[in-house]
Amino acid sequence: MKKLVYTLMLLVGFATVSFAQEASEIVVTEGSEELTNSKKYGDYVFVMSGKTEGEITEKASRYTLYFTVVFDEPSQTVKLEMVENDSRARSVIMRFLVSSGIRHADVDGKIIPINEFMTGYLQ
């Protein structure tokens, strides 16, 4: 009986850890309509859970030729402003997201892989 209880506790522990990691790999967008406007005007807003200002600043420093980043740590909100709003520069947003540990995007409540996010909303 003890083995069964310990096994269940172990499984619940692993499940909890995997969900916690998953949340930090998802960027939340403002929705498809806002992403269309962002593509047009070059201003993006994302919510990236579990990130620190130091992490985001360090990652963003590699892409200053393409966009500027302002991160609000309490709300976990990242604001990107494109230097030049073209498809090549927007594709660099994906590099920034991937280097920040993002693997999926939440668009209108639907979780999609980051490569689908790029082809559907950045290109």
Side-chain angles (χ1 to χ4, degrees):
M1 184 66 175
K2 280 185 178 180
K3 286 184 181 181
L4 179 63
V5 171
Y6 288 129
T7 303
L8 288 174
M9 287 175 48
L10 183 67
L11 291 175
V12 169
F14 280 130
T16 304
V17 169
S18 68
F19 284 125
Q21 290 173 346
E22 186 72 27
S24 67
E25 294 179 351
I26 299 173
V27 66
V28 179
T29 68
E30 294 184 313
S32 59
E33 187 175 321
E34 189 59 38
L35 285 169
T36 302
N37 290 334
S38 294
K39 186 175 179 180
K40 185 176 181 181
Y41 298 111
D43 297 321
Y44 289 85
V45 177
F46 302 114
V47 176
M48 299 171 70
S49 299
K51 308 299 181 196
T52 65
E53 187 169 353
E55 291 172 327
I56 297 300
T57 302
E58 189 262 324
K59 303 297 184 198
S61 68
R62 301 174 187 163
Y63 306 109
T64 56
L65 295 175
Y66 301 98
F67 50 78
T68 59
V69 174
V70 176
F71 181 65
D72 181 48
E73 194 165 358
S75 67
Q76 298 285 286
T77 303
V78 175
K79 294 181 182 179
L80 285 145
E81 185 176 331
M82 304 301 296
V83 172
E84 188 172 321
N85 190 18
D86 59 16
S87 62
R88 184 178 191 285
R90 285 191 304 271
S91 69
V92 176
I93 292 174
M94 188 171 125
R95 282 196 254 161
F96 166 69
L97 293 173
V98 170
S99 72
S100 299
I102 302 300
R103 304 291 178 255
H104 300 89
D106 180 333
V107 180
D108 295 327
K110 183 179 177 189
I111 307 297
I112 59 174
I114 196 72
N115 59 341
E116 285 182 31
F117 175 71
M118 180 178 167
T119 57
Y121 298 99
L122 297 178
Q123 288 184 336

